[in-house]
Amino acid sequence: MKKVNKIYTFLIYVLPVVLFFSYYPIISFGKNESMNFEISLPLIWLVIFDVLAFGILVKKRLWRIILEKWQWLLLPIFMSFSVLWSPNLARGILTIGIVWLVYFAVFTFVILKKEIDFPKNFKEIFWKVFFGSSLVICAWCFLQCILDVMGVSSDCTLMCRGCVSQAFGFPHPNGFAIEPQFMGNLLIAPIIMSLYFLKQNSKNLGRKFLLLCFFIFTATLFLTFSRGAIYACLVGLIFLTTWQIVRTKKWKVILIWPIIILAFLFTLNLQGIFAEVGPTSDTYASGVAKVLNHLSLGIIDVRVKDDLDLPEVSGKTQVPSLEQKNEVENEADFDGYVEESTEVRKKLTRDAIKVWSQDFKTTVFGVGLGGAGEALYDVGLTGSPKEIVQNEYASLLLEVGVVGVILVILTVVLVTRTIIKSSVNVAIVTLLIAYGITLCFFSGLPNALHIYLLPALFYMIF
């Protein structure tokens, strides 16, 4: 049993590291018209962990504890049945498989927390691995940007097509995730936890180390240029700050906001420098202006319209020189706020609600788990069945209907009751709030396993 305990403990240690590799490396098994068949390191970890945990539960005869918590299982049970009427059976089966793996892992965290003989310094080692791996990934994100500006191919930097300098004039990293929004999302937990331990004056980690971590994590979040992750994290930080002030009646915690502003200004200047030295015709000023314009949803606009004015001679426009042509050709794809990205998300949400309300059966039971993309495509609202609803709440409404949403609300109530009864750490509550907001900006499970696993893991540790 000691060997099993060591393997279980090791898997807990490496989970924060593995989660950062949500897309790279990826093992592909092909694709069909509606989805790609791929497996990532977090999914491999999840399978291995659940198999080991299953063996422990069987040996210790702890199954009845799961059965006693039957209320928690109503949602995945209904989701499992909804696969039967899903228009995308393959996606539905794979999705419910991941759902059950996640549920089992979460239950295992809670059930086995007193059954596993963890080493005495378990917490100290875990948090050092957690913060240390986060710092390494942040360093990789900065290196990605530097390499891209130097002209290194995305095949080497692993940057997505919309991440490179050609998009905005400066790069925004995706780390080892599929997109910057998921990389930014992965940084929310390190940011909140570093602030929490900073607030607690942790002696094991050290105040200077935590300050450095908080600054680097926050700066890297801004560097990802992901509005959804940035907005969600800021809301979480506002909640944590407010809670601390109300609880202690002290305003000292407000001092973290100058650090946040400093991190933003550092990244803003860095993005301006990347724009200046990068491969496009952008300058430092235009790079900074684009950042402000995009992150503010077009509200802040200090961009200078620097169109190529061609002189007229005898009423005719001169033919542009080769240098002028090259300047035009080297322009970035976007000149600021990309309104289309916001409008596409809003349209997909509206379309999901439209299809959901088309008839009584769909309204009550949904189109079936995994069937959102196929359902939108079948009525001509999207150009491909691979298109998904970029809003987890709207996607769930379409796929599992009113019954499923009621069960989701029941799950939220159960989580809330657990928080109240157990006096759950405020950092976990903050994390849940931030993650809840991020789900408004994307949908799906494979690239977002951290949202469901980390709060449960932190609950076990605290």
Side-chain angles (χ1 to χ4, degrees), residues 14-251:
V14 300
L15 176 57
V17 182
V18 169
L19 288 173
F20 279 113
F21 297 85
S22 60
Y23 191 74
Y24 294 105
I26 197 81
I27 302 173
S28 178
F29 298 97
K31 60 182 179 180
N32 62 17
E33 62 178 7
S34 62
M35 64 183 296
N36 298 323
F37 299 101
E38 300 168 336
I39 187 168
S40 61
L41 287 184
L43 286 173
I44 294 173
W45 179 95
L46 193 57
V47 172
I48 295 173
F49 179 82
D50 281 0
V51 169
L52 179 66
F54 177 80
I56 297 174
L57 287 175
V58 170
K59 187 170 183 178
K60 291 182 175 290
R61 299 179 181 179
L62 297 173
W63 275 106
R64 61 182 182 84
I65 298 178
I66 294 180
L67 297 177
E68 289 172 0
K69 305 291 183 180
W70 59 269
Q71 305 98 319
W72 292 85
L73 301 176
L74 292 176
L75 177 60
I77 288 173
F78 176 73
M79 285 181 167
S80 299
F81 280 112
S82 75
V83 174
L84 298 175
W85 59 82
S86 173
N88 193 335
L89 186 61
R91 190 184 188 97
I93 292 173
L94 293 174
T95 301
I96 195 58
I98 297 175
V99 168
W100 278 111
L101 287 171
V102 169
Y103 261 82
F104 190 76
V106 169
F107 272 114
T108 303
F109 288 150
V110 178
I111 294 172
L112 295 182
K113 63 181 179 180
K114 294 181 179 179
E115 302 294 331
I116 300 297
D117 186 19
F118 292 108
K120 292 182 179 180
N121 59 347
F122 166 73
K123 290 184 179 181
E124 182 180 348
I125 295 175
F126 174 83
W127 290 116
K128 286 182 178 180
V129 171
F130 177 76
F131 289 119
S133 60
S134 300
L135 287 172
V136 171
I137 296 299
C138 287
W140 167 245
C141 287
F142 279 91
L143 181 60
Q144 272 187 312
C145 293
I146 294 171
L147 292 175
D148 180 75
V149 170
M150 292 173 61
V152 177
S153 168
S154 59
D155 293 334
C156 297
T157 63
L158 304 181
M159 296 189 79
C160 64
R161 188 172 62 177
C163 306
V164 297
S165 296
Q166 187 58 43
F168 284 93
F170 53 85
H172 48 296
N174 57 302
F176 295 99
I178 190 172
E179 294 176 0
Q181 67 171 327
F182 293 108
M183 180 61 242
N185 208 282
L186 284 161
L187 290 169
I188 294 177
I191 289 172
I192 290 174
M193 288 302 162
S194 60
L195 176 58
Y196 170 76
F197 283 113
L198 188 62
K199 181 174 63 69
Q200 295 295 314
N201 293 315
S202 173
K203 294 181 180 179
N204 289 332
L205 295 170
R207 186 172 181 81
K208 291 182 179 179
F209 174 75
L210 289 169
L211 274 171
L212 178 65
C213 285
F214 183 73
F215 176 83
I216 293 175
F217 298 155
T218 306
T220 310
L221 173 63
F222 286 121
L223 192 66
T224 64
F225 208 42
S226 169
R227 291 169 299 171
I230 292 171
Y231 299 160
C233 188
L234 290 178
V235 171
L237 292 174
I238 290 171
F239 169 81
L240 187 56
T241 304
T242 305
W243 181 88
Q244 180 69 5
I245 292 173
V246 171
R247 180 175 174 272
T248 63
K249 303 296 188 294
K250 296 179 180 179
W251 292 80

Side-chain angles (χ1 to χ4, degrees), residues 362-373:
T362 304
T363 300
V364 177
F365 300 106
V367 299
L369 192 67

Side-chain angles (χ1 to χ4, degrees), residues 3 92 455:
K3 187 175 182 180

